[in-house]
Amino acid sequence: QIDDLAEVDYSLSSLPTVFQPFIDLDLKGVVFPAGNYTDSPYMAASFAIPDQSDSMLYLAFSEYFFQISSFAYYTAGALNKTIAEETCSYFNINTEIFGSIIPEVAKYSVTPYPVMLKLMSTEIPIIRLQQDSFTVKIQGSMEVLAVLPDSTTQSLFTLNIAANTSISLNIFDQKLMGSLCLNRIQFSLAHSSVGSFEVLLLENILSYILQTEVIPAANGK
């Protein structure tokens, strides 16, 4: 078991090959939601490790391994998050803030209300390996809800999100480290209870916050 959300099943895919200086072990690992073995929609492709012999152990992971991991966590619902009212209030995010960016929200909600955000991955993230890095393409949505005085919620609007990120890998102090970079993010209006509005200004602000606050904080951990 990897964690509470995913498990891995691995086995030899062929007989071990024994040479005088080394042994080759071909393993096939399948990652699936915890307690729910689900056939992967992806096919594993064979690959070879470069012929090197100056280290005791070499490990290589295929693009298939990362893609089925993405599928498992997506199926388990791990990529769906709700940012609670308390967290939004800590960062002073409320209907008044959205109203200053989106006039339609200001007209709809004259009284400032706290908000909560529902983030959802609408498709399985696509992972592609490159030399010393990999890219992740994410399709998702963000619903903004006003929290009313009686603790009920009212949906204001929902945005579609398309993001392309890259993670560079390097070894520092004998540890594998990753550095996240947001290459591109785009928003489009999926649904609105306050009327149609232009999302470009909101897209620029959210992109700026991600680039200057969220991603540096993630890379600092």
Side-chain angles (χ1 to χ4, degrees), residues 147-165:
V147 181
L148 305 179
D150 61 358
S151 297
T152 61
T153 59
Q154 174 64 53
S155 177
L156 298 178
F157 57 87
T158 301
L159 300 175
N160 292 322
I161 303 172
N164 184 298
T165 66

Side-chain angles (χ1 to χ4, degrees), residues 140-151:
S141 67
M142 181 181 74
E143 183 180 11
V144 180
L145 303 100
V147 181
L148 305 179
D150 61 358
S151 297

Side-chain angles (χ1 to χ4, degrees), residues 102-111 113 146 154-156 193-195:
I102 307 167
E104 289 76 8
V105 173
K107 296 174 184 177
Y108 183 86
S109 176
V110 178
T111 303
Y113 291 123
Q154 174 64 53
S155 177
L156 298 178
S193 299
V194 301

Side-chain angles (χ1 to χ4, degrees), residues 55-182:
S55 295
M56 180 177 176
L57 177 66
Y58 287 94
L59 290 176
F61 296 92
S62 67
E63 190 172 277
Y64 168 81
F65 177 81
F66 291 101
Q67 194 59 60
I68 61 171
S69 299
S70 173
F71 168 75
Y73 281 101
Y74 171 84
T75 304
L79 306 181
N80 302 332
K81 300 293 182 183
T82 296
I83 302 178
E85 169 192 347
E86 293 77 13
T87 303
C88 291
S89 297
Y90 178 81
F91 290 102
N92 294 318
I93 302 174
N94 53 33
T95 56
E96 186 175 24
I97 291 295
F98 281 108
S100 65
I101 305 169
I102 307 167
E104 289 76 8
V105 173
K107 296 174 184 177
Y108 183 86
S109 176
V110 178
T111 303
Y113 291 123
V115 299
M116 60 187 298
L117 309 178
K118 287 188 176 181
L119 302 175
M120 179 178 295
S121 179
T122 55
E123 296 182 13
I124 303 169
I126 299 173
I127 299 176
R128 293 287 181 262
L129 295 184
Q130 300 174 349
Q131 186 175 2
D132 299 327
S133 67
F134 58 91
T135 62
V136 183
K137 292 183 179 180
I138 302 169
Q139 297 283 341
S141 67
M142 181 181 74
E143 183 180 11
V144 180
L145 303 100
V147 181
L148 305 179
D150 61 358
S151 297
T152 61
T153 59
Q154 174 64 53
S155 177
L156 298 178
F157 57 87
T158 301
L159 300 175
N160 292 322
I161 303 172
N164 184 298
T165 66
S166 60
I167 301 177
S168 301
L169 301 176
N170 56 77
I171 297 177
F172 177 75
D173 195 21
Q174 298 183 341
K175 295 180 181 179
L176 182 62
M177 308 291 288
S179 179
L180 176 64
C181 175
L182 179 64

